[in-house]
Amino acid sequence: MGNTWDFKAVGQDIANILHQPEYDDGSAGPVLVRLAWHSAGTYDAETDTGGSNGAGMRYEAEGVDPANAGLQHARVFLEPVKAKHPWITYADLWTLAGVVAIQEMGGPKIPWTGGRTDYVDDSKLPPRGRLPDGAKGADHLRWIFNRMGLNDQEIVALSGAHNLGRCHSDRSGFEGAWVNNPTRFSNQYFRLLLSLQWKKKTLKNGVEQFFNYDEDSETELMMLPTDIALTQDRSFRKYVELYANDKDKFFEDFAAAFSKLVELGITRDASKKILNTDNEKGG
Ligand code: ZEM
């Protein structure tokens, strides 16, 4: 590809760094998905501020926001990829990494287009507090996601990313994984939300969370208060039931919502020709 932007080659190299035997459940995938989500989820439609453009987590204000604790691991995993393809912006790299990781972990192909800039526009910087708080309920979720321009169905679909990864007490204060195989993308999260009995427990640090001891696998699985809220709110629950029963519909809706998420607030430089944006590894 020479001097063109070969996103496909980047996607391949992202796929190659996912296997991390020493880290968590053996994969960088889940934390890369969270990096992509937190880079984009600061968007505010009304003021057109925040979003993945600018890759603000490189700087202190956003980088050491407690909401982003742990995401430095994701950024470090991606450094060799950036070093090999220095032309790619961090904003593109982080969002593409999420898309590639989801696909490599068995999830849907997500449409993704490059062209985000790393230019930090001070007038577009998001204040802290724009990402959701797992200790809260349905009203909070709507408040946060409606601000981005996302609706009930998209909130539930995107929450299905909790099929992946785990909570770390030194990052969020919560602990445990949502599903037994947290490096495999599926609709298991929705099925467990409905099929298991979730009991509220207060952790030593005072944080309230829901747990279920799974006899089959002899592991303890967990849900955040916001996850449980999806089953208690009538409008949200309709989609939880839909996705628990129809994996293909979940994959389709998740791909559309995630694609929309990583496009929030993006303006592309029309003077630059974006070549090979059809990311075949991830999108
Ligand atoms: Zn999460 N998420 N999230 N999320 N998330 C965590 C972990 C992961 C919420 C939340 O408070 C938390 C979305 C939505 C929401 C992922 C993806 C996506 C953790 C644990 C918390 C507390 C962090 C830790 O301790 O390391 C809340 C309240 C959400 C509102 C609905 C959306 C949307 C996501 C992507 C589409 C992923 C992949 C993880 C696992 C990270 C890891 O390191 O394993």
Side-chain angles (χ1 to χ4, degrees), residues 23-25 27-38 67 69-71 102 105 131-136 140-141 144-145 148 150 154-176 178 182 185 189 222 224-227 230 254 258 261:
Y23 180 77
D24 269 10
D25 302 287
S27 173
V31 79
L32 291 177
V33 174
R34 192 164 193 244
L35 176 68
W37 139 240
H38 277 207
L71 295 182
I102 288 163
M105 291 186 285
L131 292 162
D133 177 350
K136 299 208 165 137
H140 171 74
L141 289 179
I144 295 284
F145 284 87
M148 295 176 222
L150 300 175
E154 291 164 319
I155 293 170
V156 178
L158 284 172
S159 295
H162 286 169
N163 270 285
L164 301 173
R166 56 178 55 255
C167 295
H168 307 76
S169 49
D170 59 336
R171 298 182 190 177
S172 61
F174 297 105
E175 57 188 50
W178 290 267
F185 197 87
Y189 161 82
M222 65 83 202
L224 302 172
T226 43
D227 298 309
L230 299 180
F254 181 86
F258 197 85
L261 175 70

